[in-house]
Structure formats: structure tokens, C-alpha cells
Amino acid sequence: MGVITFGVIAGIGLLAYLAVEYTERKGKEKQREATESDWKKILAEYLGKSCEVTIKEPMVNIDVIYSTRGILRDMDDEWLELECEEKKGTVVRIIRLDQVKGAKEIR
């Protein structure tokens, strides 16, 4: 009888935990949507300036693991164009705005 009672209580606790996690995740998604539109405004101030852009997930195909530095050359509603100096020369990286986690100006 004690095992059944424990199983029921554990099941109720698990359901309560999952319900809380689900509502928090929905709140973060709404918050993320607001911050993505804010990135358009923030990054618009960096046009033509040297900056460091931090991304949410590694992009191995364009050689960006955590962040990249360069001059912000162009930007539209979905993409930004960053001109980066590398050993081989100048590289232009195109990054989706929804992948941007942070940005700061480099002086």
C-alpha cells in the first residue's frame, strides 16, 4: 500500500513540475520574441562600426562557435552582414538575427 501511495504522490509531483516548466517556457518564448525585435534596433546603431556578436548556438559551417568580431556592414529584418578580418583575408559572415544572443561595440 505504501508503494502505491508513493507512486501516486510522485506522479502528482511530476505533473506539477512539468506544468510549471511548460508555463515558464511559454513566458520565455514571449520574452525572446520581444528581444529579437529589440536586436534590430540595437544592431542598427552599430552599422559601420566594429563590434562583437555573440550567438545562441554554434555555427560550425561559418566558423563561429561562440562569438565573432568584425564590422557590421549591412542588416535587414532577418539577416546581418559582418565583415571579419582573418589570417587568409577578409571574410563576410551572414548571420540570422534570431541567432544573435548579444552584441557590443569594440573600440
Side-chain angles (χ1 to χ4, degrees), residues 5-102:
T5 305
F6 176 76
V8 170
I9 292 172
I12 291 171
L14 179 64
L15 288 174
Y17 173 76
L18 292 175
V20 169
E21 284 293 315
Y22 178 76
T23 55
E24 286 179 1
R25 184 174 295 149
K26 285 296 183 185
K28 287 180 183 178
E29 286 176 4
K30 288 181 183 177
Q31 183 181 12
R32 184 181 305 135
E33 289 172 5
T35 57
E36 286 174 8
S37 63
D38 292 339
W39 280 121
K40 295 175 191 172
K41 296 174 188 172
I42 294 169
L43 288 170
E45 297 174 10
Y46 295 150
L47 280 174
K49 297 180 181 176
S50 183
C51 61
E52 180 177 10
V53 177
T54 308
I55 59 170
K56 294 178 183 176
E57 299 174 10
M59 297 180 183
V60 181
N61 54 346
I62 62 169
D63 254 354
V64 179
I65 303 301
Y66 176 72
S67 68
T68 185
R69 293 179 176 202
I71 299 172
L72 184 61
R73 290 294 177 198
D74 194 15
M75 190 180 87
D76 64 8
D77 291 337
E78 292 185 45
W79 302 92
L80 66 89
E81 181 180 304
L82 200 63
E83 186 177 294
C84 307
E85 288 294 324
E86 305 239 337
K87 292 178 185 176
K88 299 177 184 177
T90 303
V91 177
V92 176
R93 292 196 169 99
I94 309 294
I95 302 172
R96 289 185 62 94
L97 283 178
D98 62 359
Q99 289 297 315
V100 174
K101 181 178 176 183

